[in-house]
Each structure stands twice: as structure tokens, then as C-alpha cells.
Amino acid sequence: MIASVSGVVAAIAPDSAVIEVGGVGVLVHCTPGTLATLRVGEHGRLATSLIVREESLTLYGFATDDERTVFGLVQTASGVGPKLALAMLAVHTPNSLRVAVASADLKALTRIPGIGQKGAQRIVLELKDKLGTPEEAVNAALNGHAAKPLWRDQVHSGLVGLGYSTRDADEAIALVEPQADAEVVAGREPQVAVLLKAALRVLSIR
């Protein structure tokens, strides 16, 4: 298995990129989100999954190892091949996909091109015990952000700058943390301005 490719990005197309590896241009199929992390002429690294078919070898690339893991897991569901798996990750982040499956959010799943109501129901049934629970998604996401809890530091500094004590700021942050966790689970970066307003509301009613 080719677990990753690393080299200079030679070209980027709407659904793929070419990365120079040892003098060979390797074509890697990616989601728009992954392609947005690459720049022609600059060094790039992608986690990859090689799909072997009788008539072809196709390499799929991902910005993170978690995306690659989910790409493989969703293909264990009936009717989900690599192209549909990639489409799923083009619409949803790994964590938001976990939440959609765990909560049987058929509306979120049918937003994916190629998945109808019955297909969404089948995916929920077959993947609900494989992708992980929302709680696991929270922990995985939070652990991934542990090195740089930017929103926490910025909200704390904002509150102290507005005249609140360090203790008050800590208590307010603890109360708005579930809101930030929910954003992480959905695959979104917590918004400092929104969390600061929420913290101020908490402090205003104390």
C-alpha cells in the first residue's frame, strides 16, 4: 500500500493533483478541500489510499490520516465505492460524517451526490458501529487541536481585557466550552467572536 506521497506539486486540476516523487509525476485524486491545501511549485504531502482494480490502479489523496481512514471505512458499506467515498468527504469532514451517521441524519447524508434516501438509511445501518460515536469524534478532534487551543486563549484574553477577573474568565470559558466542542465535532473551527459573545452573556446573567 502507498500510505503517502510527498514532493513538489507539479499541477492541480479540479479533481486531482500531480506530485513529483523521485522524478515521477504521480496523479492523485482528491477532494476540493484537499486540493485547496496544495500550491503548484511548492512542497506537498498527502496521505493516500491505492485502489487496485483489474484494469487500473487509482491513487486517492487526503489532507489528513483521519480522512484516509474514513475513506476506507465508508467503503465497507454496500454500494459505496471509492468515487462515492471521496464525494462523501468532499461534502462532509470526517467528524461531521461520524455525527451524521451516529445521529441517523439522513438529510445530511442525502446532500452527498449519489446518495438517496434508501442509500442513506443503508449507510447509517451498516456504518453506525464502524465510524465511531460523536463522543469519540469530539475526543479525536479535541486531541488534534490540543497543541493550539486558540479560541480558549483568545476568549480568555478578551474577557480579561474587558475588565473581568481571571477566575470569571475561566468560569465563563468552562460554560461555553460545550458550544466550542459542538463546532469541532461538526468539522468547523470554533469562532472566537461568537464564543466571546456567549461568554459575555454568561457573565451578564450571573
Side-chain angles (χ1 to χ4, degrees):
M1 175 182 176
I2 301 176
S4 67
V5 294
S6 179
V8 175
V9 180
I12 298 176
D15 60 356
S16 64
V18 176
I19 297 181
E20 295 283 349
V21 180
V24 177
V26 179
L27 179 67
V28 188
H29 295 274
C30 309
T31 66
T34 295
L35 292 171
T37 68
L38 304 175
R39 297 289 182 274
V40 173
E42 296 184 5
H43 187 275
R45 180 192 179 279
L46 296 175
T48 57
S49 176
L50 179 64
I51 302 298
V52 180
R53 294 287 185 265
E54 189 173 328
E55 70 285 354
S56 66
L57 298 175
T58 306
L59 196 63
Y60 293 87
F62 311 92
T64 67
D65 291 341
D66 192 30
E67 287 183 358
R68 179 183 59 197
T69 297
V70 171
F71 175 77
L73 288 173
V74 297
Q75 290 180 71
T76 63
S78 303
V80 178
K83 289 184 178 180
L84 184 54
L86 195 66
M88 294 171 76
L89 288 167
V91 174
H92 295 291
T93 65
N95 280 338
S96 62
L97 194 56
R98 289 186 179 102
V99 173
V101 170
S103 61
D105 188 348
L106 302 183
K107 184 176 180 180
L109 292 173
T110 53
R111 286 174 50 204
I112 301 166
I115 296 181
Q117 190 76 5
K118 289 185 178 180
Q121 292 172 341
R122 185 175 61 250
I123 286 170
V124 168
L125 181 64
E126 297 184 14
L127 295 181
K128 63 181 180 180
D129 297 323
K130 296 181 180 180
L131 290 183
T133 64
E135 289 79 9
E136 290 169 343
V138 171
N139 292 334
L142 291 179
N143 288 338
H145 286 73
K148 50 174 184 178
L150 296 180
W151 75 265
R152 189 188 303 272
D153 291 342
Q154 291 173 355
V155 170
H156 191 279
S157 297
L159 292 173
V160 172
L162 290 171
Y164 290 98
S165 68
T166 297
R167 180 179 177 180
D168 285 342
D170 289 340
E171 291 178 356
I173 286 172
L175 291 172
V176 302
E177 188 168 14
Q179 183 176 338
D181 289 351
E183 290 295 296
V184 172
V185 170
R188 297 186 293 267
E189 193 72 25
Q191 297 298 305
V192 173
V194 173
L195 293 171
L196 180 58
K197 288 180 181 178
L200 289 170
R201 283 197 298 271
V202 169
L203 292 169
S204 70
I205 60 177
R206 291 181 55 191

